[in-house]
Amino acid sequence: MAGNFRKEVTSTVMWMLNHGIKIQCFKVTPYEYNEQVLLDIEQIIPVKEAEDYLIKMADKNREEKEFKETNRNTIELRKLFWTELLNEFNKISPQYKNVNPGLDHWLSNGSGVGGCPFNFIVTKNYASVELAISKSVKEDNKKIYDLLFLHKDNIESAYGYPLIWERLDNKKSSRISDKLIEVNITNKDDWDKIKIFLCDRMVRLEKAIKEPLKKASDAK
């Protein structure tokens, strides 16, 4: 409490509020009445009417800071994971030999058909391998997908497992994928399981679908 606060004091108090530290400043004015000293106490920081708002803003700022910190940690983990995955995958296939570890949740490589990359994908909920059919023209993507779907049984037989077929009628692209669910890229205990899945399934996917994809692209 004080009669006045210096600027550096009020600045420090506002900084503390923005970082979730609850603090208040009161202005105290003494009065003399009938030989008695009376005190008028007024809350000036935060202003009483704005106290709830400032608390909410401080909470929001803290949440945003925590989100950025979490996001930065996730990006660093992704790069480390991609580095480890490529080191292992390059021992069994030349498919990603010229690809460097990235920062995103996907890692792409060409299929031999423009606009139709193979993707490794890792998230906080699943890992997957996919063929993305994402040429610039929506109709071309749907034609390629439909031609591939005609050979679904043969492709899945060559792949060795059922695939997830998504025409995605309301979107420009289509995709064909396989997923490992209930794994989390931020949990290093899941990494071995994810790497084994991705390495095995990407080799299978390329062998099963590369030639049918080329034929579908030429035929469209």
Side-chain angles (χ1 to χ4, degrees), residues 31-187:
Y31 295 94
E32 184 176 351
Y33 179 74
N34 290 338
E35 299 182 353
Q36 291 183 318
V37 177
L38 304 178
L39 299 179
D40 179 24
I41 301 175
E42 177 187 1
Q43 180 177 320
I44 61 172
I45 300 176
V47 178
K48 194 66 178 175
E49 292 76 10
E51 185 170 9
D52 289 344
Y53 172 76
L54 288 174
I55 292 172
K56 288 179 181 177
M57 288 302 296
D59 289 343
K60 181 180 178 182
N61 290 337
R62 187 169 62 255
E63 288 172 1
E64 289 178 351
K65 183 179 179 181
E66 291 173 353
F67 174 79
K68 288 178 181 178
E69 183 68 25
T70 300
N71 195 45
R72 181 165 60 250
N73 292 340
T74 300
I75 289 172
E76 291 173 355
L77 280 173
R78 278 198 211 116
K79 187 167 185 179
L80 178 60
F81 174 83
W82 290 134
T83 300
E84 292 187 9
L85 177 72
L86 289 175
N87 286 339
E88 295 190 22
F89 188 71
N90 289 339
K91 295 174 184 177
I92 61 175
S93 170
Q95 186 181 355
Y96 272 75
K97 283 286 187 183
N98 297 319
V99 177
N100 294 318
L103 302 177
D104 294 308
H105 70 279
W106 70 89
L107 199 62
S108 298
N109 185 54
S111 65
V113 174
C116 297
F118 287 110
N119 295 322
F120 284 125
I121 295 176
V122 289
T123 74
K124 294 180 180 180
N125 301 301
Y126 68 89
S128 73
V129 295
E130 72 170 26
L131 171 71
I133 307 172
S134 52
K135 288 178 171 290
S136 58
V137 180
K138 177 179 178 179
E139 289 73 18
D140 290 344
N141 295 326
K142 303 313 171 188
K143 288 177 183 177
I144 290 173
Y145 175 91
D146 290 341
L147 288 170
L148 288 172
F149 193 77
L150 290 175
H151 301 282
K152 175 178 180 291
D153 291 343
N154 290 336
I155 290 171
E156 290 187 340
S157 177
Y159 180 69
Y161 297 92
L163 287 162
I164 302 167
W165 296 75
E166 297 174 283
R167 194 174 192 271
L168 303 174
D169 292 341
N170 296 325
K171 296 184 178 180
K172 183 169 73 172
S173 62
S174 298
R175 62 174 170 256
I176 303 166
S177 65
D178 191 7
K179 284 184 179 181
L180 175 66
I181 61 172
E182 296 181 356
V183 290
N184 186 338
I185 185 59
T186 65
N187 181 4

